[in-house]
Amino acid sequence: MTDDRFHRQGPVILRGARIPDATADAALLSNERSSDWTHTDPWRVMRIQSEFVEGFDALADLPPSISIFGSARARPGGPSYETAREIAQRLAAAGFGVITGGGPGIMEAGNRGAREGNGLSVGLGIELPFEQGMNEYVDLGVNFRYFFARKTMFLKYSLGFVAMPGGFGTLDELFEAVTLVQTKKVSSFPIVLVGRDHWGGLDRWIRSTLRESGMIGGADADLLTVVDTAEEAVDAVHSGIHRLAAEKKAETPE
């Protein structure tokens, strides 16, 4: 009986006994008390460098683009999937490229909608212990070994983020973006959360517990916009982009 399992490691596909026990990220972050890392990590830096070079090269000519995040577990026909698909379709029809993580669920919905809207559909994949692979609707795909290299590409090439309902991965991407905007490490961009039933509790906690206890600034909670429909999401992206552009222009000396 043949072993049909396969594993993507950057541009390389491995099968059978060649599949590693740990991903590149896991190996990098391992805290095993061994001196072997002194021999491997300097070379690992070259691999990390190559991921940045390949990513920048592949994405340099993207049109203005919006990233869509959300659960890989969403199914076609489900409300989150279809809403993400419609959002991507509307964004593409308005001239935006759509960037996702390239996998299934909400990512597939975003890439599918982008293609249906005649826009550029981009997938930024990541090496995982369980193989996902690029969904069939990705027009331009780049696979990464390291999460931090992939996150840099999302932030560098996006004018805004749309977060659909999701789990820990979605929360990770969301709060990474909010923190970098809050600390002005990146230019401000709209961050839209779709689904009040899913995000409402988090939004209320941020506005009450965090803001009222002084853990964040008074205006920090307003970095997030919560909506329900695809139309509201796209309107929030557009208005956020225009508002931030106007604020930046006003701050620029004549």
Side-chain angles (χ1 to χ4, degrees), residues 43-155:
W43 288 103
R44 190 173 284 133
V45 170
M46 301 298 291
R47 180 185 292 166
I48 293 169
Q49 178 179 310
S50 73
E51 289 214 339
F52 282 103
V53 172
E54 290 166 1
F56 292 148
D57 185 57
L59 304 173
D61 296 324
L62 287 189
S65 298
I66 306 298
S67 287
I68 297 178
F69 298 110
S71 176
R73 303 181 184 189
R75 300 296 183 188
S80 293
Y81 183 103
E82 296 304 331
T83 299
R85 181 178 171 185
E86 183 181 349
I87 290 170
Q89 191 173 25
R90 287 173 176 264
L91 289 170
F96 291 103
V98 173
I99 305 174
T100 80
I106 295 300
M107 295 173 280
E108 177 187 293
N111 293 127
R112 183 176 180 179
R115 182 178 288 183
E116 292 168 342
N118 296 316
L120 180 61
S121 171
V122 181
L124 305 182
I126 185 69
E127 177 190 6
L128 293 171
F130 44 92
E131 186 58 43
Q132 288 185 316
M134 287 285 180
N135 67 68
E136 62 181 299
Y137 301 103
V138 171
D139 297 320
L140 171 60
V142 184
N143 275 307
F144 293 89
R145 289 183 173 92
Y146 299 101
F147 269 109
F148 53 84
R150 179 181 183 240
K151 286 180 178 180
T152 299
M153 303 304 153
F154 275 117
L155 290 160

Side-chain angles (χ1 to χ4, degrees), residues 174-197:
L174 169 63
F175 282 108
E176 173 104 11
V178 174
T179 301
L180 291 173
V181 171
Q182 179 203 40
T183 55
K184 301 188 185 303
K185 293 294 185 180
V186 298
S187 298
S188 294
F189 52 77
I191 302 173
V192 181
L193 311 183
V194 183
R196 287 188 174 90
D197 286 347

Side-chain angles (χ1 to χ4, degrees), residues 170-226:
T170 303
L171 291 171
D172 175 55
E173 290 154 345
L174 169 63
F175 282 108
E176 173 104 11
V178 174
T179 301
L180 291 173
V181 171
Q182 179 203 40
T183 55
K184 301 188 185 303
K185 293 294 185 180
V186 298
S187 298
S188 294
F189 52 77
I191 302 173
V192 181
L193 311 183
V194 183
R196 287 188 174 90
D197 286 347
H198 185 83
W199 296 111
L202 175 65
D203 185 54
R204 289 190 294 274
W205 178 74
I206 289 172
R207 293 179 181 278
S208 58
T209 302
L210 289 188
R211 183 163 64 183
E212 291 177 9
S213 63
M215 298 297 176
I216 61 174
D220 287 341
D222 296 327
L223 295 174
L224 304 173
T225 301
V226 184

